[in-house]
Every structure is written in C-alpha cells, then in structure tokens.
PDB file of all heavy atoms in Angstrom:
ATOM      1  N   VAL A 285       8.861  16.450  -5.303  1.00 96.00           N
ATOM      2  CA  VAL A 285       8.086  17.673  -5.492  1.00 96.00           C
ATOM      3  C   VAL A 285       6.929  17.379  -6.431  1.00 96.00           C
ATOM      4  O   VAL A 285       7.131  16.984  -7.580  1.00 96.00           O
ATOM      5  CB  VAL A 285       8.946  18.807  -6.064  1.00 96.00           C
ATOM      6  CG1 VAL A 285       8.103  20.052  -6.279  1.00 96.00           C
ATOM      7  CG2 VAL A 285      10.111  19.107  -5.119  1.00 96.00           C
ATOM      8  N   GLU A 286       5.715  17.604  -5.916  1.00 97.00           N
ATOM      9  CA  GLU A 286       4.515  17.392  -6.716  1.00 97.00           C
ATOM     10  C   GLU A 286       4.140  18.662  -7.462  1.00 97.00           C
ATOM     11  O   GLU A 286       4.427  19.771  -7.001  1.00 97.00           O
ATOM     12  CB  GLU A 286       3.331  16.983  -5.834  1.00 97.00           C
ATOM     13  CG  GLU A 286       3.540  15.758  -4.973  1.00 97.00           C
ATOM     14  CD  GLU A 286       3.971  16.093  -3.566  1.00 97.00           C
ATOM     15  OE1 GLU A 286       4.493  17.202  -3.352  1.00 97.00           O
ATOM     16  OE2 GLU A 286       3.793  15.245  -2.668  1.00 97.00           O
ATOM     17  N   SER A 287       3.467  18.495  -8.583  1.00 96.00           N
ATOM     18  CA  SER A 287       2.938  19.620  -9.339  1.00 96.00           C
ATOM     19  C   SER A 287       1.707  19.164 -10.097  1.00 96.00           C
ATOM     20  O   SER A 287       1.476  17.964 -10.271  1.00 96.00           O
ATOM     21  CB  SER A 287       3.984  20.181 -10.303  1.00 96.00           C
ATOM     22  OG  SER A 287       4.360  19.201 -11.252  1.00 96.00           O
ATOM     23  N   GLY A 288       0.919  20.143 -10.537  1.00 97.00           N
ATOM     24  CA  GLY A 288      -0.224  19.839 -11.386  1.00 97.00           C
ATOM     25  C   GLY A 288      -1.577  19.920 -10.710  1.00 97.00           C
ATOM     26  O   GLY A 288      -2.603  19.749 -11.375  1.00 97.00           O
ATOM     27  N   GLY A 289      -1.613  20.173  -9.424  1.00 96.00           N
ATOM     28  CA  GLY A 289      -2.899  20.281  -8.754  1.00 96.00           C
ATOM     29  C   GLY A 289      -3.641  21.543  -9.173  1.00 96.00           C
ATOM     30  O   GLY A 289      -3.090  22.421  -9.823  1.00 96.00           O
ATOM     31  N   GLY A 290      -4.913  21.618  -8.791  1.00 97.00           N
ATOM     32  CA  GLY A 290      -5.702  22.791  -9.104  1.00 97.00           C
ATOM     33  C   GLY A 290      -7.177  22.501  -9.040  1.00 97.00           C
ATOM     34  O   GLY A 290      -7.608  21.476  -8.504  1.00 97.00           O
ATOM     35  N   LEU A 291      -7.941  23.416  -9.601  1.00 98.00           N
ATOM     36  CA  LEU A 291      -9.394  23.324  -9.619  1.00 98.00           C
ATOM     37  C   LEU A 291      -9.846  22.766 -10.968  1.00 98.00           C
ATOM     38  O   LEU A 291      -9.403  23.249 -12.021  1.00 98.00           O
ATOM     39  CB  LEU A 291     -10.019  24.705  -9.395  1.00 98.00           C
ATOM     40  CG  LEU A 291     -11.535  24.804  -9.534  1.00 98.00           C
ATOM     41  CD1 LEU A 291     -12.226  23.970  -8.457  1.00 98.00           C
ATOM     42  CD2 LEU A 291     -11.965  26.259  -9.449  1.00 98.00           C
ATOM     43  N   VAL A 292     -10.702  21.769 -10.930  1.00 98.00           N
ATOM     44  CA  VAL A 292     -11.209  21.163 -12.159  1.00 98.00           C
ATOM     45  C   VAL A 292     -12.682  20.849 -11.977  1.00 98.00           C
ATOM     46  O   VAL A 292     -13.134  20.557 -10.858  1.00 98.00           O
ATOM     47  CB  VAL A 292     -10.397  19.894 -12.512  1.00 98.00           C
ATOM     48  CG1 VAL A 292     -10.515  18.837 -11.425  1.00 98.00           C
ATOM     49  CG2 VAL A 292     -10.798  19.334 -13.857  1.00 98.00           C
ATOM     50  N   GLN A 293     -13.435  20.920 -13.055  1.00 98.00           N
ATOM     51  CA  GLN A 293     -14.853  20.620 -12.986  1.00 98.00           C
ATOM     52  C   GLN A 293     -15.092  19.113 -12.958  1.00 98.00           C
ATOM     53  O   GLN A 293     -14.271  18.334 -13.472  1.00 98.00           O
ATOM     54  CB  GLN A 293     -15.570  21.214 -14.192  1.00 98.00           C
ATOM     55  CG  GLN A 293     -15.623  22.726 -14.180  1.00 98.00           C
ATOM     56  CD  GLN A 293     -16.523  23.290 -15.274  1.00 98.00           C
ATOM     57  OE1 GLN A 293     -16.822  22.623 -16.251  1.00 98.00           O
ATOM     58  NE2 GLN A 293     -16.957  24.521 -15.091  1.00 98.00           N
ATOM     59  N   PRO A 294     -16.179  18.686 -12.360  1.00 98.00           N
ATOM     60  CA  PRO A 294     -16.502  17.248 -12.378  1.00 98.00           C
ATOM     61  C   PRO A 294     -16.531  16.716 -13.800  1.00 98.00           C
ATOM     62  O   PRO A 294     -17.055  17.353 -14.708  1.00 98.00           O
ATOM     63  CB  PRO A 294     -17.889  17.205 -11.733  1.00 98.00           C
ATOM     64  CG  PRO A 294     -17.938  18.410 -10.854  1.00 98.00           C
ATOM     65  CD  PRO A 294     -17.159  19.466 -11.584  1.00 98.00           C
ATOM     66  N   GLY A 295     -15.936  15.550 -13.951  1.00 98.00           N
ATOM     67  CA  GLY A 295     -15.840  14.931 -15.271  1.00 98.00           C
ATOM     68  C   GLY A 295     -14.585  15.301 -16.020  1.00 98.00           C
ATOM     69  O   GLY A 295     -14.277  14.689 -17.054  1.00 98.00           O
ATOM     70  N   GLY A 296     -13.856  16.280 -15.543  1.00 98.00           N
ATOM     71  CA  GLY A 296     -12.666  16.741 -16.245  1.00 98.00           C
ATOM     72  C   GLY A 296     -11.424  15.967 -15.879  1.00 98.00           C
ATOM     73  O   GLY A 296     -11.423  15.145 -14.965  1.00 98.00           O
ATOM     74  N   PRO A 297     -10.333  16.233 -16.637  1.00 98.00           N
ATOM     75  CA  PRO A 297      -9.065  15.568 -16.375  1.00 98.00           C
ATOM     76  C   PRO A 297      -8.081  16.484 -15.651  1.00 98.00           C
ATOM     77  O   PRO A 297      -8.204  17.713 -15.682  1.00 98.00           O
ATOM     78  CB  PRO A 297      -8.546  15.282 -17.786  1.00 98.00           C
ATOM     79  CG  PRO A 297      -9.019  16.470 -18.570  1.00 98.00           C
ATOM     80  CD  PRO A 297     -10.317  16.912 -17.931  1.00 98.00           C
ATOM     81  N   LEU A 298      -7.095  15.853 -15.049  1.00 98.00           N
ATOM     82  CA  LEU A 298      -5.999  16.583 -14.426  1.00 98.00           C
ATOM     83  C   LEU A 298      -4.820  15.636 -14.358  1.00 98.00           C
ATOM     84  O   LEU A 298      -5.005  14.422 -14.166  1.00 98.00           O
ATOM     85  CB  LEU A 298      -6.379  17.053 -13.024  1.00 98.00           C
ATOM     86  CG  LEU A 298      -5.606  18.227 -12.422  1.00 98.00           C
ATOM     87  CD1 LEU A 298      -5.813  19.491 -13.254  1.00 98.00           C
ATOM     88  CD2 LEU A 298      -6.039  18.476 -10.988  1.00 98.00           C
ATOM     89  N   ARG A 299      -3.639  16.179 -14.524  1.00 98.00           N
ATOM     90  CA  ARG A 299      -2.433  15.345 -14.483  1.00 98.00           C
ATOM     91  C   ARG A 299      -1.496  15.853 -13.404  1.00 98.00           C
ATOM     92  O   ARG A 299      -1.112  17.024 -13.406  1.00 98.00           O
ATOM     93  CB  ARG A 299      -1.722  15.363 -15.844  1.00 98.00           C
ATOM     94  CG  ARG A 299      -0.533  14.411 -15.933  1.00 98.00           C
ATOM     95  CD  ARG A 299       0.044  14.421 -17.337  1.00 98.00           C
ATOM     96  NE  ARG A 299       1.181  13.527 -17.501  1.00 98.00           N
ATOM     97  CZ  ARG A 299       1.059  12.256 -17.843  1.00 98.00           C
ATOM     98  NH1 ARG A 299      -0.136  11.731 -18.068  1.00 98.00           N
ATOM     99  NH2 ARG A 299       2.149  11.484 -17.968  1.00 98.00           N
ATOM    100  N   LEU A 300      -1.141  14.977 -12.498  1.00 98.00           N
ATOM    101  CA  LEU A 300      -0.174  15.292 -11.452  1.00 98.00           C
ATOM    102  C   LEU A 300       1.186  14.706 -11.817  1.00 98.00           C
ATOM    103  O   LEU A 300       1.255  13.625 -12.399  1.00 98.00           O
ATOM    104  CB  LEU A 300      -0.619  14.722 -10.111  1.00 98.00           C
ATOM    105  CG  LEU A 300      -2.003  15.125  -9.618  1.00 98.00           C
ATOM    106  CD1 LEU A 300      -2.259  14.489  -8.246  1.00 98.00           C
ATOM    107  CD2 LEU A 300      -2.156  16.623  -9.545  1.00 98.00           C
ATOM    108  N   SER A 301       2.224  15.430 -11.447  1.00 98.00           N
ATOM    109  CA  SER A 301       3.580  14.924 -11.654  1.00 98.00           C
ATOM    110  C   SER A 301       4.368  15.000 -10.368  1.00 98.00           C
ATOM    111  O   SER A 301       4.110  15.857  -9.519  1.00 98.00           O
ATOM    112  CB  SER A 301       4.291  15.732 -12.752  1.00 98.00           C
ATOM    113  OG  SER A 301       3.709  15.504 -14.006  1.00 98.00           O
ATOM    114  N   CYS A 302       5.327  14.093 -10.250  1.00 97.00           N
ATOM    115  CA  CYS A 302       6.189  14.051  -9.075  1.00 97.00           C
ATOM    116  C   CYS A 302       7.620  13.929  -9.565  1.00 97.00           C
ATOM    117  O   CYS A 302       7.967  12.948 -10.230  1.00 97.00           O
ATOM    118  CB  CYS A 302       5.822  12.866  -8.200  1.00 97.00           C
ATOM    119  SG  CYS A 302       6.922  12.607  -6.790  1.00 97.00           S
ATOM    120  N   ALA A 303       8.424  14.917  -9.240  1.00 95.00           N
ATOM    121  CA  ALA A 303       9.824  14.915  -9.654  1.00 95.00           C
ATOM    122  C   ALA A 303      10.705  14.550  -8.468  1.00 95.00           C
ATOM    123  O   ALA A 303      10.586  15.142  -7.398  1.00 95.00           O
ATOM    124  CB  ALA A 303      10.215  16.286 -10.197  1.00 95.00           C
ATOM    125  N   ALA A 304      11.561  13.570  -8.683  1.00 92.00           N
ATOM    126  CA  ALA A 304      12.472  13.136  -7.632  1.00 92.00           C
ATOM    127  C   ALA A 304      13.858  13.716  -7.865  1.00 92.00           C
ATOM    128  O   ALA A 304      14.331  13.760  -9.005  1.00 92.00           O
ATOM    129  CB  ALA A 304      12.558  11.615  -7.596  1.00 92.00           C
ATOM    130  N   SER A 305      14.494  14.139  -6.812  1.00 90.00           N
ATOM    131  CA  SER A 305      15.867  14.635  -6.897  1.00 90.00           C
ATOM    132  C   SER A 305      16.673  14.089  -5.733  1.00 90.00           C
ATOM    133  O   SER A 305      16.117  13.766  -4.683  1.00 90.00           O
ATOM    134  CB  SER A 305      15.897  16.162  -6.894  1.00 90.00           C
ATOM    135  OG  SER A 305      15.339  16.669  -5.697  1.00 90.00           O
ATOM    136  N   GLY A 306      17.952  13.965  -5.944  1.00 87.00           N
ATOM    137  CA  GLY A 306      18.818  13.458  -4.899  1.00 87.00           C
ATOM    138  C   GLY A 306      18.956  11.954  -4.898  1.00 87.00           C
ATOM    139  O   GLY A 306      19.759  11.416  -4.131  1.00 87.00           O
ATOM    140  N   PHE A 307      18.170  11.277  -5.716  1.00 80.00           N
ATOM    141  CA  PHE A 307      18.304   9.832  -5.856  1.00 80.00           C
ATOM    142  C   PHE A 307      17.634   9.414  -7.163  1.00 80.00           C
ATOM    143  O   PHE A 307      16.815  10.151  -7.718  1.00 80.00           O
ATOM    144  CB  PHE A 307      17.675   9.082  -4.666  1.00 80.00           C
ATOM    145  CG  PHE A 307      16.173   9.188  -4.576  1.00 80.00           C
ATOM    146  CD1 PHE A 307      15.378   8.082  -4.832  1.00 80.00           C
ATOM    147  CD2 PHE A 307      15.556  10.370  -4.210  1.00 80.00           C
ATOM    148  CE1 PHE A 307      13.999   8.172  -4.731  1.00 80.00           C
ATOM    149  CE2 PHE A 307      14.186  10.472  -4.107  1.00 80.00           C
ATOM    150  CZ  PHE A 307      13.404   9.372  -4.369  1.00 80.00           C
ATOM    151  N   THR A 308      17.979   8.237  -7.640  1.00 79.00           N
ATOM    152  CA  THR A 308      17.309   7.715  -8.825  1.00 79.00           C
ATOM    153  C   THR A 308      16.216   6.756  -8.388  1.00 79.00           C
ATOM    154  O   THR A 308      16.273   6.161  -7.306  1.00 79.00           O
ATOM    155  CB  THR A 308      18.292   6.974  -9.739  1.00 79.00           C
ATOM    156  OG1 THR A 308      18.913   5.911  -8.992  1.00 79.00           O
ATOM    157  CG2 THR A 308      19.366   7.907 -10.259  1.00 79.00           C
ATOM    158  N   LEU A 309      15.212   6.629  -9.241  1.00 80.00           N
ATOM    159  CA  LEU A 309      14.024   5.884  -8.861  1.00 80.00           C
ATOM    160  C   LEU A 309      14.153   4.377  -9.030  1.00 80.00           C
ATOM    161  O   LEU A 309      13.257   3.635  -8.656  1.00 80.00           O
ATOM    162  CB  LEU A 309      12.825   6.380  -9.668  1.00 80.00           C
ATOM    163  CG  LEU A 309      12.447   7.849  -9.450  1.00 80.00           C
ATOM    164  CD1 LEU A 309      11.245   8.206 -10.284  1.00 80.00           C
ATOM    165  CD2 LEU A 309      12.219   8.137  -7.986  1.00 80.00           C
ATOM    166  N   ASP A 310      15.280   3.934  -9.618  1.00 83.00           N
ATOM    167  CA  ASP A 310      15.469   2.504  -9.799  1.00 83.00           C
ATOM    168  C   ASP A 310      15.318   1.773  -8.464  1.00 83.00           C
ATOM    169  O   ASP A 310      15.812   2.240  -7.432  1.00 83.00           O
ATOM    170  CB  ASP A 310      16.864   2.225 -10.357  1.00 83.00           C
ATOM    171  CG  ASP A 310      17.048   2.798 -11.751  1.00 83.00           C
ATOM    172  OD1 ASP A 310      16.045   3.229 -12.346  1.00 83.00           O
ATOM    173  OD2 ASP A 310      18.198   2.821 -12.230  1.00 83.00           O
ATOM    174  N   ASP A 311      14.599   0.635  -8.514  1.00 87.00           N
ATOM    175  CA  ASP A 311      14.411  -0.203  -7.315  1.00 87.00           C
ATOM    176  C   ASP A 311      13.547   0.469  -6.247  1.00 87.00           C
ATOM    177  O   ASP A 311      13.609   0.117  -5.072  1.00 87.00           O
ATOM    178  CB  ASP A 311      15.748  -0.620  -6.697  1.00 87.00           C
ATOM    179  CG  ASP A 311      16.563  -1.479  -7.646  1.00 87.00           C
ATOM    180  OD1 ASP A 311      15.949  -2.278  -8.387  1.00 87.00           O
ATOM    181  OD2 ASP A 311      17.795  -1.339  -7.665  1.00 87.00           O
ATOM    182  N   TYR A 312      12.776   1.442  -6.663  1.00 92.00           N
ATOM    183  CA  TYR A 312      11.825   2.069  -5.753  1.00 92.00           C
ATOM    184  C   TYR A 312      10.398   1.834  -6.243  1.00 92.00           C
ATOM    185  O   TYR A 312      10.150   1.600  -7.430  1.00 92.00           O
ATOM    186  CB  TYR A 312      12.059   3.582  -5.670  1.00 92.00           C
ATOM    187  CG  TYR A 312      13.092   3.980  -4.652  1.00 92.00           C
ATOM    188  CD1 TYR A 312      14.446   3.918  -4.952  1.00 92.00           C
ATOM    189  CD2 TYR A 312      12.713   4.423  -3.386  1.00 92.00           C
ATOM    190  CE1 TYR A 312      15.394   4.277  -4.023  1.00 92.00           C
ATOM    191  CE2 TYR A 312      13.660   4.800  -2.451  1.00 92.00           C
ATOM    192  CZ  TYR A 312      14.992   4.717  -2.777  1.00 92.00           C
ATOM    193  OH  TYR A 312      15.930   5.085  -1.844  1.00 92.00           O
ATOM    194  N   VAL A 313       9.494   1.881  -5.299  1.00 95.00           N
ATOM    195  CA  VAL A 313       8.071   1.958  -5.601  1.00 95.00           C
ATOM    196  C   VAL A 313       7.635   3.400  -5.329  1.00 95.00           C
ATOM    197  O   VAL A 313       7.952   3.967  -4.279  1.00 95.00           O
ATOM    198  CB  VAL A 313       7.245   0.979  -4.745  1.00 95.00           C
ATOM    199  CG1 VAL A 313       5.760   1.252  -4.881  1.00 95.00           C
ATOM    200  CG2 VAL A 313       7.561  -0.464  -5.150  1.00 95.00           C
ATOM    201  N   MET A 314       6.968   3.955  -6.299  1.00 95.00           N
ATOM    202  CA  MET A 314       6.462   5.320  -6.156  1.00 95.00           C
ATOM    203  C   MET A 314       4.949   5.257  -6.041  1.00 95.00           C
ATOM    204  O   MET A 314       4.304   4.412  -6.670  1.00 95.00           O
ATOM    205  CB  MET A 314       6.843   6.158  -7.369  1.00 95.00           C
ATOM    206  CG  MET A 314       8.319   6.210  -7.644  1.00 95.00           C
ATOM    207  SD  MET A 314       9.180   7.190  -6.407  1.00 95.00           S
ATOM    208  CE  MET A 314       8.507   8.814  -6.731  1.00 95.00           C
ATOM    209  N   GLY A 315       4.391   6.174  -5.279  1.00 95.00           N
ATOM    210  CA  GLY A 315       2.955   6.118  -5.106  1.00 95.00           C
ATOM    211  C   GLY A 315       2.332   7.476  -4.914  1.00 95.00           C
ATOM    212  O   GLY A 315       3.003   8.469  -4.613  1.00 95.00           O
ATOM    213  N   TRP A 316       1.019   7.482  -5.098  1.00 97.00           N
ATOM    214  CA  TRP A 316       0.208   8.664  -4.834  1.00 97.00           C
ATOM    215  C   TRP A 316      -0.791   8.326  -3.732  1.00 97.00           C
ATOM    216  O   TRP A 316      -1.472   7.292  -3.791  1.00 97.00           O
ATOM    217  CB  TRP A 316      -0.531   9.106  -6.093  1.00 97.00           C
ATOM    218  CG  TRP A 316       0.374   9.686  -7.126  1.00 97.00           C
ATOM    219  CD1 TRP A 316       0.955   9.036  -8.173  1.00 97.00           C
ATOM    220  CD2 TRP A 316       0.820  11.043  -7.208  1.00 97.00           C
ATOM    221  NE1 TRP A 316       1.736   9.895  -8.900  1.00 97.00           N
ATOM    222  CE2 TRP A 316       1.664  11.140  -8.331  1.00 97.00           C
ATOM    223  CE3 TRP A 316       0.579  12.190  -6.455  1.00 97.00           C
ATOM    224  CZ2 TRP A 316       2.279  12.333  -8.709  1.00 97.00           C
ATOM    225  CZ3 TRP A 316       1.185  13.377  -6.823  1.00 97.00           C
ATOM    226  CH2 TRP A 316       2.029  13.436  -7.940  1.00 97.00           C
ATOM    227  N   PHE A 317      -0.875   9.239  -2.780  1.00 97.00           N
ATOM    228  CA  PHE A 317      -1.771   9.079  -1.645  1.00 97.00           C
ATOM    229  C   PHE A 317      -2.543  10.379  -1.489  1.00 97.00           C
ATOM    230  O   PHE A 317      -2.063  11.446  -1.895  1.00 97.00           O
ATOM    231  CB  PHE A 317      -0.961   8.764  -0.384  1.00 97.00           C
ATOM    232  CG  PHE A 317      -0.098   7.547  -0.535  1.00 97.00           C
ATOM    233  CD1 PHE A 317       1.143   7.628  -1.144  1.00 97.00           C
ATOM    234  CD2 PHE A 317      -0.533   6.316  -0.083  1.00 97.00           C
ATOM    235  CE1 PHE A 317       1.943   6.504  -1.309  1.00 97.00           C
ATOM    236  CE2 PHE A 317       0.257   5.185  -0.238  1.00 97.00           C
ATOM    237  CZ  PHE A 317       1.494   5.275  -0.859  1.00 97.00           C
ATOM    238  N   ARG A 318      -3.717  10.302  -0.920  1.00 96.00           N
ATOM    239  CA  ARG A 318      -4.479  11.529  -0.781  1.00 96.00           C
ATOM    240  C   ARG A 318      -5.102  11.634   0.598  1.00 96.00           C
ATOM    241  O   ARG A 318      -5.370  10.639   1.263  1.00 96.00           O
ATOM    242  CB  ARG A 318      -5.547  11.632  -1.864  1.00 96.00           C
ATOM    243  CG  ARG A 318      -6.641  10.588  -1.822  1.00 96.00           C
ATOM    244  CD  ARG A 318      -7.509  10.693  -3.078  1.00 96.00           C
ATOM    245  NE  ARG A 318      -8.603   9.728  -3.083  1.00 96.00           N
ATOM    246  CZ  ARG A 318      -9.422   9.528  -4.114  1.00 96.00           C
ATOM    247  NH1 ARG A 318      -9.270  10.245  -5.237  1.00 96.00           N
ATOM    248  NH2 ARG A 318     -10.398   8.643  -4.026  1.00 96.00           N
ATOM    249  N   GLN A 319      -5.309  12.883   0.992  1.00 94.00           N
ATOM    250  CA  GLN A 319      -5.876  13.196   2.295  1.00 94.00           C
ATOM    251  C   GLN A 319      -6.919  14.273   2.099  1.00 94.00           C
ATOM    252  O   GLN A 319      -6.634  15.324   1.527  1.00 94.00           O
ATOM    253  CB  GLN A 319      -4.767  13.681   3.236  1.00 94.00           C
ATOM    254  CG  GLN A 319      -5.209  13.966   4.651  1.00 94.00           C
ATOM    255  CD  GLN A 319      -4.063  14.483   5.505  1.00 94.00           C
ATOM    256  OE1 GLN A 319      -3.304  15.341   5.077  1.00 94.00           O
ATOM    257  NE2 GLN A 319      -3.924  13.933   6.695  1.00 94.00           N
ATOM    258  N   VAL A 320      -8.111  13.996   2.583  1.00 88.00           N
ATOM    259  CA  VAL A 320      -9.184  14.974   2.469  1.00 88.00           C
ATOM    260  C   VAL A 320      -8.915  16.108   3.452  1.00 88.00           C
ATOM    261  O   VAL A 320      -8.624  15.845   4.627  1.00 88.00           O
ATOM    262  CB  VAL A 320     -10.548  14.329   2.757  1.00 88.00           C
ATOM    263  CG1 VAL A 320     -11.649  15.377   2.734  1.00 88.00           C
ATOM    264  CG2 VAL A 320     -10.827  13.227   1.742  1.00 88.00           C
ATOM    265  N   PRO A 321      -8.993  17.365   3.009  1.00 81.00           N
ATOM    266  CA  PRO A 321      -8.773  18.483   3.923  1.00 81.00           C
ATOM    267  C   PRO A 321      -9.682  18.404   5.136  1.00 81.00           C
ATOM    268  O   PRO A 321     -10.884  18.147   5.019  1.00 81.00           O
ATOM    269  CB  PRO A 321      -9.108  19.705   3.061  1.00 81.00           C
ATOM    270  CG  PRO A 321      -8.827  19.260   1.672  1.00 81.00           C
ATOM    271  CD  PRO A 321      -9.224  17.805   1.629  1.00 81.00           C
ATOM    272  N   GLY A 322      -9.108  18.599   6.306  1.00 82.00           N
ATOM    273  CA  GLY A 322      -9.872  18.542   7.541  1.00 82.00           C
ATOM    274  C   GLY A 322      -9.933  17.166   8.160  1.00 82.00           C
ATOM    275  O   GLY A 322     -10.407  17.002   9.286  1.00 82.00           O
ATOM    276  N   LYS A 323      -9.466  16.167   7.447  1.00 79.00           N
ATOM    277  CA  LYS A 323      -9.462  14.795   7.964  1.00 79.00           C
ATOM    278  C   LYS A 323      -8.016  14.330   8.047  1.00 79.00           C
ATOM    279  O   LYS A 323      -7.552  13.500   7.250  1.00 79.00           O
ATOM    280  CB  LYS A 323     -10.291  13.871   7.073  1.00 79.00           C
ATOM    281  CG  LYS A 323     -11.761  14.262   7.014  1.00 79.00           C
ATOM    282  CD  LYS A 323     -12.577  13.245   6.249  1.00 79.00           C
ATOM    283  CE  LYS A 323     -14.048  13.636   6.232  1.00 79.00           C
ATOM    284  NZ  LYS A 323     -14.878  12.659   5.498  1.00 79.00           N
ATOM    285  N   ASP A 324      -7.321  14.853   9.028  1.00 74.00           N
ATOM    286  CA  ASP A 324      -5.884  14.639   9.116  1.00 74.00           C
ATOM    287  C   ASP A 324      -5.487  13.181   9.340  1.00 74.00           C
ATOM    288  O   ASP A 324      -4.365  12.798   9.054  1.00 74.00           O
ATOM    289  CB  ASP A 324      -5.298  15.508  10.223  1.00 74.00           C
ATOM    290  CG  ASP A 324      -5.404  16.988   9.889  1.00 74.00           C
ATOM    291  OD1 ASP A 324      -5.628  17.309   8.706  1.00 74.00           O
ATOM    292  OD2 ASP A 324      -5.262  17.826  10.793  1.00 74.00           O
ATOM    293  N   ASP A 325      -6.379  12.376   9.887  1.00 72.00           N
ATOM    294  CA  ASP A 325      -6.027  10.995  10.195  1.00 72.00           C
ATOM    295  C   ASP A 325      -6.388  10.029   9.073  1.00 72.00           C
ATOM    296  O   ASP A 325      -6.165   8.827   9.207  1.00 72.00           O
ATOM    297  CB  ASP A 325      -6.714  10.544  11.475  1.00 72.00           C
ATOM    298  CG  ASP A 325      -6.224  11.312  12.688  1.00 72.00           C
ATOM    299  OD1 ASP A 325      -5.049  11.748  12.656  1.00 72.00           O
ATOM    300  OD2 ASP A 325      -6.994  11.472  13.640  1.00 72.00           O
ATOM    301  N   GLU A 326      -6.937  10.549   7.997  1.00 80.00           N
ATOM    302  CA  GLU A 326      -7.407   9.668   6.933  1.00 80.00           C
ATOM    303  C   GLU A 326      -6.593   9.868   5.667  1.00 80.00           C
ATOM    304  O   GLU A 326      -6.689  10.889   4.998  1.00 80.00           O
ATOM    305  CB  GLU A 326      -8.884   9.929   6.653  1.00 80.00           C
ATOM    306  CG  GLU A 326      -9.785   9.611   7.823  1.00 80.00           C
ATOM    307  CD  GLU A 326     -11.258   9.817   7.471  1.00 80.00           C
ATOM    308  OE1 GLU A 326     -11.580   9.852   6.271  1.00 80.00           O
ATOM    309  OE2 GLU A 326     -12.062   9.940   8.402  1.00 80.00           O
ATOM    310  N   TYR A 327      -5.770   8.876   5.359  1.00 85.00           N
ATOM    311  CA  TYR A 327      -5.040   8.832   4.103  1.00 85.00           C
ATOM    312  C   TYR A 327      -5.621   7.700   3.271  1.00 85.00           C
ATOM    313  O   TYR A 327      -5.925   6.630   3.790  1.00 85.00           O
ATOM    314  CB  TYR A 327      -3.559   8.534   4.334  1.00 85.00           C
ATOM    315  CG  TYR A 327      -2.700   9.735   4.651  1.00 85.00           C
ATOM    316  CD1 TYR A 327      -2.512  10.143   5.970  1.00 85.00           C
ATOM    317  CD2 TYR A 327      -2.077  10.449   3.648  1.00 85.00           C
ATOM    318  CE1 TYR A 327      -1.715  11.231   6.257  1.00 85.00           C
ATOM    319  CE2 TYR A 327      -1.275  11.539   3.926  1.00 85.00           C
ATOM    320  CZ  TYR A 327      -1.097  11.926   5.238  1.00 85.00           C
ATOM    321  OH  TYR A 327      -0.308  13.004   5.531  1.00 85.00           O
ATOM    322  N   GLU A 328      -5.725   7.922   2.005  1.00 93.00           N
ATOM    323  CA  GLU A 328      -6.124   6.857   1.094  1.00 93.00           C
ATOM    324  C   GLU A 328      -4.981   6.592   0.126  1.00 93.00           C
ATOM    325  O   GLU A 328      -4.420   7.513  -0.453  1.00 93.00           O
ATOM    326  CB  GLU A 328      -7.377   7.219   0.297  1.00 93.00           C
ATOM    327  CG  GLU A 328      -7.810   6.119  -0.663  1.00 93.00           C
ATOM    328  CD  GLU A 328      -9.025   6.478  -1.497  1.00 93.00           C
ATOM    329  OE1 GLU A 328      -9.449   7.646  -1.456  1.00 93.00           O
ATOM    330  OE2 GLU A 328      -9.555   5.585  -2.184  1.00 93.00           O
ATOM    331  N   SER A 329      -4.645   5.337  -0.014  1.00 96.00           N
ATOM    332  CA  SER A 329      -3.645   4.938  -0.999  1.00 96.00           C
ATOM    333  C   SER A 329      -4.329   4.924  -2.362  1.00 96.00           C
ATOM    334  O   SER A 329      -5.261   4.157  -2.573  1.00 96.00           O
ATOM    335  CB  SER A 329      -3.101   3.551  -0.660  1.00 96.00           C
ATOM    336  OG  SER A 329      -2.580   3.529   0.658  1.00 96.00           O
TER     337      SER A 329
END
C-alpha cells in the first residue's frame, strides 16, 4: 500500500511510503515505478 502522493510545486519535496503486509521484506527487492497518466504502456523504473 502506497501513501504520500499529492500536489507539490516545482522544486518542492515529497515523500512516498510503501507498507508491506502479509510477508516480510527480507530477501526481497523493493522498487518504485511510475506511469504518466494517459500513457498506459509506458512505465519507468
């Protein structure tokens, strides 16, 4: 479950968090990926 998104002005900061449940994160790689709205086929790692 992600949290922390919102509207921010250029140059500003924002912090996203991801909470995992149902398993522990040991031995996992966690990542953030983004998709521009309207560009469903384009993900950026």
Side-chain angles (χ1 to χ4, degrees):
V285 179
E286 304 96 339
S287 62
L291 174 64
V292 62
Q293 291 189 340
L298 202 63
R299 186 176 180 88
L300 305 181
S301 292
C302 174
S305 61
F307 68 110
T308 58
L309 298 181
D310 295 350
D311 297 324
Y312 274 82
V313 169
M314 303 289 294
W316 289 94
F317 303 83
R318 65 188 181 187
Q319 183 182 45
V320 176
K323 297 186 179 180
D324 294 343
D325 295 331
E326 296 183 19
Y327 275 90
E328 180 182 9
S329 304

